[in-house]
Amino acid sequence: MRYRLLSALIISAVAVVEAAPAAAATYDYIVVGSGPGGGPLAADLARAGYSTLLIEAGGDEGDNPTYSEIAYFNEAANDEATRWDFWVKHYDDPEEDRKFAHTTWDTGDGTFYVGLDPPEGAKYLGIQYPRAAVLGGCAMHNAAVCSLPAEDDWNIIVNKTGDTSWSASNMRQYLKKIERNQYLPPGDPNRGYDGWLATSVGPTDWARNNSNPATTILKKLAALTGQDETRAADLLGSDILTEIPNLDETSSFYNLAQHADNTGKRNSPNNYVRATLADPAKYPLTLKLHTLVTRVLFDESTVGVEGVEPRAIGVEIMEGQSLYKADPKHRGQTSPKSQILAAREVIVSGGAFNSPQILKLSGIGPKDELAKFNIPLVKHLPGVGENLGDNYEGSLLAMGQTPVQSGLITAVFRTPNAPDARRNIFTWCGAFSFEGFWPGFPTWHGAEQYTCALVHMQPKSQAGSVTLRSADPQDVPDINFRFFQNQGDQDLEELVEGANILREAMNAVPEPVAPFIERHPCEGDRRAEGDCGVEVQKEYFKSQAYSHHATSTCAIGGKDEEMAVLDSKFRVHGVRGLRVVDASAFPVVPGAFPSCPTMMISVKAAEDIIAERKKEEAEAKKL
């Protein structure tokens, strides 16, 4: 398969940007990155009255229908206007990586080749992991699924740090603070109705039509997951963001919630930042777009002094478009470096790939790695860039004899072989195709296509890493997820069991759709012929699993925990004036989709910072 490499709008390969160095400026807070972690945090700090600079490497596409309309999310993730291509590894073994069916190559003639038989001379790139360089971050190109982690995913931080504000019961308040619910009757005391983040759901009435073939699939899946199949249509309308006892052990259907309004308009940090910028007299927020942060600056008098913690005082930047080499429009652009100062703090919110890169370029990270690139050591923190984790994802894709007229079936359930009582599979089924990420995804297999996509939760292995390739801030780090490295057989067996349950439900579909012809994991009649058992499917998922919820590379942990990077208030251990607030802070992957949980911790971080500042101001008045 060949795909266009660059937009036709790119006419020439030019460009060293000759811009004058930016004038020095000082703000109370500098926030680096405008995604689910940084965007809401910057807006909240400005709304509390603190001068705040929000820096974003991309532009603003908030008025572009490709981004503002949820229906176009596949186009948004493919759009070169905002896309950053990280070519990642799943394994240390290159041969294992090259089994991935959507391995991508640069043909050298302006196109990508995707597949396992590249043309002669093609340059190997790897496995695409697109991120969004745009105001609002990846919340501007995702499918906007809004779900919450298991309680244990919050409580692990309590256990590590002793900070009870991270308890699952307390973290619910942050959903309420940000939410503008558009699908429940008003008055639920546990939900928000006047926040900045709209939440909505889709229709489920189709499930009451017993002649609909997909209703048969729904009922069969209900029976297979311990639900009352006679109430399947009612259960499909359940609120996925609900709070009930033993929720994490309860297999159920849900109506998929999205951070979008009830007209299909995407809601994200973009909306909140823009609303804050709209009242500059009241809210002192400044936004710098197309600005690449190259490193955090430190007060040199505090670096390397025994008994003194280094203090962050600002950032170094480069200004211009497409400066980062992950940008497919990058053509060697560079720009002079300038500095911006922070009177209070620098907060890094670049995401699970870029936050550890920025810390390392700034001298914070494993000392041996920094020494390799002659980066002066500010603070030895071996956990920076380690502990990279993600959900494992895969799908069952089959072709019916006729199109399946179906709404979306969403379920969260426990496979019988799960190691504990918690649910471990999040699935959504419908007449679509989703098989991972590559340039030009997804493949349209025809109107008869039907997919059950599945996300494996609570992955046992978080052995991945983000390491520097060089000291060049425009360079892209080396990213290796090391899939299934720890307890891999257990995770693979859970994926296979989940697939078997979904397959049995799908194959209950009646004529004229029946019989489904499976494309994967069990192609054609392999299963009927006894040639697609557990081991065969394990090998399929081992080579073809994908992911797009990277977390945990600057993980919160106790001060005596060797690989911890942050304390429970997001402060970098052993450094003053520096925090990291984004999905990299989670010690473990937070549930099935990290977007809404990351927005929640962004609000928590703002609350923590403002409380600290108020306390300092009160103490200063006493003196």
Side-chain angles (χ1 to χ4, degrees):
M1 293 180 285
R2 290 179 182 267
Y3 296 92
R4 177 172 51 94
L5 179 59
L6 288 172
S7 168
L9 294 176
I10 300 172
I11 300 173
S12 63
V14 275
V16 174
V17 178
E18 292 293 346
T26 301
Y27 299 85
D28 287 329
Y29 296 95
I30 297 175
V31 180
V32 181
S34 69
L41 171 57
D44 280 345
L45 291 174
R47 286 169 180 258
Y50 300 110
S51 64
T52 304
L53 173 65
L54 176 61
I55 300 176
E56 168 56 49
D60 181 6
E61 298 290 339
D63 295 325
N64 183 341
T66 298
Y67 298 86
S68 63
E69 301 284 343
I70 285 293
Y72 300 133
F73 68 90
N74 283 334
E75 289 83 351
N78 275 292
D79 190 1
E80 292 166 356
T82 66
R83 198 182 76 224
W84 275 2
D85 290 331
F86 291 92
W87 304 104
V88 307
K89 303 170 186 174
H90 286 169
Y91 298 98
D92 288 324
D93 181 357
E95 295 306 312
E96 193 68 43
D97 267 347
R98 294 190 189 199
K99 294 177 184 178
F100 187 65
H102 298 110
T103 297
T104 304
W105 311 71
D106 181 354
T107 64
D109 64 1
T111 63
F112 289 118
Y113 170 83
V114 178
L116 301 178
D117 188 23
E120 185 176 353
K123 177 185 176 183
Y124 174 75
L125 293 173
I127 299 165
Q128 189 195 40
Y129 203 114
R131 302 281 83 186
V134 66
L135 182 62
C138 290
M140 289 295 286
H141 79 175
N142 63 8
V145 177
C146 192
S147 67
L148 299 180
E151 290 189 354
D152 286 349
D153 294 341
W154 296 123
N155 292 334
I156 190 174
I157 300 178
V158 180
N159 296 334
K160 283 176 170 288
T161 67
D163 186 344
T164 57
S165 71
W166 281 94
S167 67
S169 58
N170 188 60
M171 291 304 297
R172 288 285 310 193
Q173 68 168 301
Y174 297 107
L175 174 65
K176 182 177 179 179
K177 285 184 176 182
I178 66 175
E179 186 183 26
R180 188 170 77 254
N181 188 286
Q182 299 193 348
Y183 62 91
L184 292 175
D188 186 332
N190 297 313
R191 303 303 291 277
Y193 297 90
D194 57 2
W196 54 266
L197 188 73
T199 58
S200 61
V201 295
T204 59
D205 289 348
W206 63 269
R208 301 189 183 281
N209 180 359
N210 288 323
S211 65
N212 189 326
T215 303
T216 304
I217 298 174
L218 177 72
K219 290 182 175 181
K220 183 64 174 180
L221 185 56
L224 292 169
T225 55
Q227 302 179 70
D228 183 351
E229 60 185 288
T230 65
R231 298 187 58 244
D234 292 333
L235 293 168
L236 193 63
S238 300
D239 178 18
I240 200 169
L241 300 175
T242 191
E243 183 178 25
I244 61 172
N246 303 314
L247 175 65
D248 298 333
E249 292 80 41
T250 304
S251 295
S252 181
F253 293 125
Y254 294 101
N255 198 347
L256 189 70
Q258 294 180 297
H259 50 86
D261 68 22
N262 53 20
T263 70
K265 295 284 187 182
R266 180 185 297 276
N267 244 232
S268 80
N270 180 287
N271 304 82
Y272 191 37
V273 170
R274 286 166 62 128
T276 305
L277 290 167
D279 194 348
K282 189 175 181 180
Y283 306 132
L285 177 63
T286 301
L287 172 66
K288 285 185 73 68
L289 300 171
H290 299 299
T291 301
L292 182 69
V293 170
T294 60
R295 65 187 175 108
V296 177
L297 303 172
F298 292 89
D299 179 347
E300 292 184 4
S301 70
T302 65
V303 176
V305 179
E306 187 174 352
V308 177
E309 290 187 337
R311 178 170 180 79
I313 59 170
V315 295
E316 181 182 80
I317 63 169
M318 300 171 69
E319 297 183 78
Q321 297 189 29
S322 304
L323 289 170
Y324 196 53
K325 293 179 183 178
D327 190 324
K329 303 182 297 302
H330 180 79
R331 285 295 181 271
Q333 299 96 317
T334 187
S335 173
K337 294 175 181 176
S338 58
Q339 298 182 351
I340 306 175
L341 302 181
R344 302 299 311 170
E345 293 185 8
V346 175
I347 303 156
V348 178
S349 301
F353 299 157
N354 290 106
S355 284
Q357 181 184 20
I358 291 170
L359 291 188
K360 288 180 178 183
L361 291 171
S362 307
I364 300 174
K367 60 183 179 182
D368 290 343
E369 182 181 348
L370 303 187
K372 178 181 176 182
F373 299 109
N374 296 315
I375 298 172
L377 181 67
V378 173
K379 178 64 179 178
H380 172 58
L381 284 179
V384 175
E386 300 300 312
N387 195 49
L388 173 63
D390 212 331
N391 302 118
Y392 300 120
E393 298 185 51
S395 62
L396 275 76
L397 174 64
M399 304 298 293
Q401 303 305 303
T402 62
V404 184
Q405 301 301 319
S406 171
L408 197 66
I409 299 173
T410 301
V412 187
F413 64 91
R414 179 188 179 276
T415 61
N417 61 350
D420 56 45
R422 291 179 299 173
R423 306 174 297 185
N424 57 336
I425 299 293
F426 188 117
T427 188
W428 62 105
C429 305
F432 61 87
S433 166
F434 183 52
E435 302 165 275
F437 298 89
W438 63 90
F441 83 96
T443 299
W444 170 254
H445 295 281
E448 297 80 15
Q449 66 187 8
Y450 192 83
T451 296
C452 281
L454 64 157
V455 174
H456 175 261
M457 300 183 291
Q458 290 95 46
K460 314 303 180 298
S461 183
Q462 293 203 185
S465 63
V466 177
T467 56
L468 296 178
R469 296 181 193 271
S470 74
D472 180 358
Q474 294 181 260
D475 211 348
V476 179
D478 183 86
I479 301 163
N480 188 339
F481 283 91
R482 298 186 180 87
F483 275 7
F484 304 109
Q485 181 160 303
N486 299 323
Q487 301 182 56
D489 276 352
Q490 175 65 39
D491 282 343
L492 286 165
E493 287 170 4
E494 291 174 43
L495 280 165
V496 171
E497 185 68 13
N500 287 341
I501 290 169
L502 293 170
R503 179 182 294 108
E504 187 173 349
M506 286 172 60
N507 286 336
V509 69
E511 295 181 341
V513 174
F516 272 130
I517 304 300
E518 190 169 328
R519 295 183 70 101
H520 58 69
C522 294
E523 183 178 2
D525 295 324
R526 291 188 69 185
R527 187 169 178 82
E529 295 169 358
D531 190 29
C532 196
V534 171
E535 293 304 316
V536 171
Q537 290 187 75
K538 281 171 62 177
E539 183 57 36
Y540 172 84
F541 282 114
K542 184 178 180 182
S543 63
Q544 304 305 321
Y546 49 88
S547 65
H548 65 302
H549 303 147
T551 69
S552 308
T553 50
C554 297
I556 292 172
K559 64 180 180 179
D560 296 326
E561 188 177 343
E562 181 184 9
M563 301 303 285
V565 177
L566 310 176
D567 70 9
S568 67
K569 304 298 184 184
F570 305 93
R571 295 172 294 212
V572 176
H573 281 302
V575 179
R576 290 183 294 156
L578 182 62
R579 303 188 202 230
V580 177
V581 181
D582 57 30
S584 71
F586 290 107
V588 297
V589 182
F593 295 88
S595 187
C596 280
T598 304
M599 294 184 224
M600 292 164 63
I601 69 169
S602 178
V603 179
K604 184 183 192 307
E607 185 179 272
D608 290 341
I609 293 168
I610 292 166
E612 286 180 25
R613 180 63 173 147
K614 296 294 186 185
K615 182 179 179 181
E616 291 171 0
E617 291 170 348
E619 290 175 350
K621 288 180 180 179
K622 294 178 182 177
L623 298 178

